[in-house]
Amino acid sequence: AVLPKHERLVEGKLENGFTYIILPNSNPPGRFEAHLEVLSGSANELERQQGMAHLIEHVAYMGSPKRQLISGTGSRTNAYTDFHHTVFFAACPTQTPDQFWKKPMLPMALDVLMDVMTTNIDEDRLEKERAAVLSEASMVNKIEYRVECQILSSLHSENRISSRFPIGKEHLIKSWTKQDLQLYHQAHYCPDNVVISFVVGDVDVSTTCISMLLFERYL
C-alpha cells in the first residue's frame, strides 16, 4: 500500500528542474531546517570512483565560503553521504539574532546550500579534504565497522551496495585529480538530480516558495 502524504506537505518543481518539498511545523517555534539532497551516493559510483561522492561532499561543504555567512547566528550546518544520497543541511532560527539587524534566515540558508551546486574544485581544498577523508577511513576501520561491512555485503550480494561503501577505497582516494572530481560534480550536481529536500519547520509556505526562486538562478 502507498503511504499517505502528510496533509500539510507541499511539493513543486522549478523551471530549471529543481524539486522542492516544504513541510510547515511550528514545533519547536522559531526554527527550521533546509536540506539539499543530491540523488547520488556511493552506489552510483563507477569502479574507479569508489569514495568519490564522499570526497566531493567534503570539498563542496568545507570549500563553501558562504557557509561562514550564517555562522554566529545560532545555525548549524553539516553534510553526509550514504549509498544513495549526498545531503547538505542547515538548521537555523527563522530570524537573525537580536544583535543583528533582524532579517529572515531562510534565504540566507538556501543561498548557502545552493553554493555546493557551483563548486569549483580547488587544489588546496582538495588536498585538505583528501587528508581528512583518509583520516576518517582510518578511524572507522575497526572490528565493528568491518563486521557491518560483511553483513551488508551478505545482505546485498546481488547489488552494488555489497561493494560500494561510502568511505571508498584508500588507493583510489589518493589517486584522483581535481579534474576527476569536477567531472563527477558536473555529472551528478545538476537540477534534475537534486531535491531541495524538506524545508521543515516554523515557515510560511508562500514565503518559502518565493525564497525557492533563488534556485532558478542556477541554469
Side-chain angles (χ1 to χ4, degrees):
V2 178
L3 290 174
K5 288 185 179 179
H6 194 289
E7 60 184 15
R8 301 182 70 192
L9 191 74
V10 176
E11 298 177 271
K13 195 163 191 171
L14 302 179
E15 289 184 8
N16 58 1
F18 277 115
T19 299
Y20 62 85
I21 301 170
I22 305 166
L23 181 60
N25 178 20
S26 57
N27 188 22
R31 302 285 303 183
F32 72 90
E33 284 196 16
H35 296 233
L36 186 144
E37 178 183 8
V38 182
L39 303 178
S40 174
S42 59
N44 301 96
E45 296 165 345
L46 302 177
E47 187 73 25
R48 66 182 181 277
Q49 295 176 328
Q50 293 182 70
M52 195 173 282
H54 181 218
L55 181 55
I56 281 278
E57 171 230 307
H58 270 251
V59 173
Y61 173 73
M62 294 302 294
S64 169
K66 289 185 178 179
R67 189 169 56 88
Q68 304 303 320
L69 297 178
I70 62 173
S71 64
T73 62
S75 300
R76 181 172 61 91
T77 63
N78 213 333
Y80 63 87
T81 302
D82 61 25
F83 291 104
H84 300 294
H85 316 91
T86 303
V87 179
F88 304 84
F89 72 86
C92 309
T94 53
Q95 299 279 325
T96 51
D98 288 340
Q99 64 263 38
F100 296 95
W101 177 53
K102 280 275 188 188
K103 56 182 178 179
M105 283 292 300
L106 180 60
M108 297 167 65
L110 293 177
D111 194 31
V112 168
L113 293 177
M114 191 178 78
D115 204 32
V116 304
M117 296 295 299
T118 55
T119 297
N120 264 320
I121 309 299
D122 174 80
E123 197 76 58
D124 289 342
R125 176 54 61 188
L126 170 57
E127 294 312 318
K128 287 177 183 177
E129 299 314 318
R130 194 196 311 268
V133 168
L134 290 170
S135 174
E136 185 179 334
S138 177
M139 288 173 61
V140 302
N141 189 22
K142 294 180 170 58
I143 185 63
E144 296 85 358
Y145 176 75
R146 295 196 291 272
V147 168
E148 183 182 351
C149 288
Q150 288 297 323
I151 292 171
L152 285 172
S153 294
S154 298
L155 291 174
H156 296 275
S157 57
E158 76 289 351
N159 61 50
R160 278 189 171 189
I161 289 178
S162 65
S163 59
R164 292 288 194 278
F165 298 102
I167 202 69
K169 297 285 183 68
E170 184 176 330
H171 72 281
L172 292 173
I173 294 168
K174 289 178 177 178
S175 71
W176 298 320
T177 66
K178 70 175 188 177
Q179 287 80 15
D180 294 328
L181 268 70
Q182 199 71 63
L183 284 171
Y184 186 94
H185 185 276
Q186 290 169 0
H188 295 278
Y189 284 61
C190 47
D192 59 359
N193 198 45
V194 169
V195 179
I196 310 167
S197 174
F198 289 127
V199 175
V200 184
D202 195 2
V203 294
D204 174 73
V205 170
S206 58
T207 303
T208 305
C209 287
I210 292 171
S211 297
M212 289 295 173
L213 297 179
L214 169 76
F215 281 81
E216 288 193 336
R217 296 199 321 237
Y218 184 91
L219 300 177

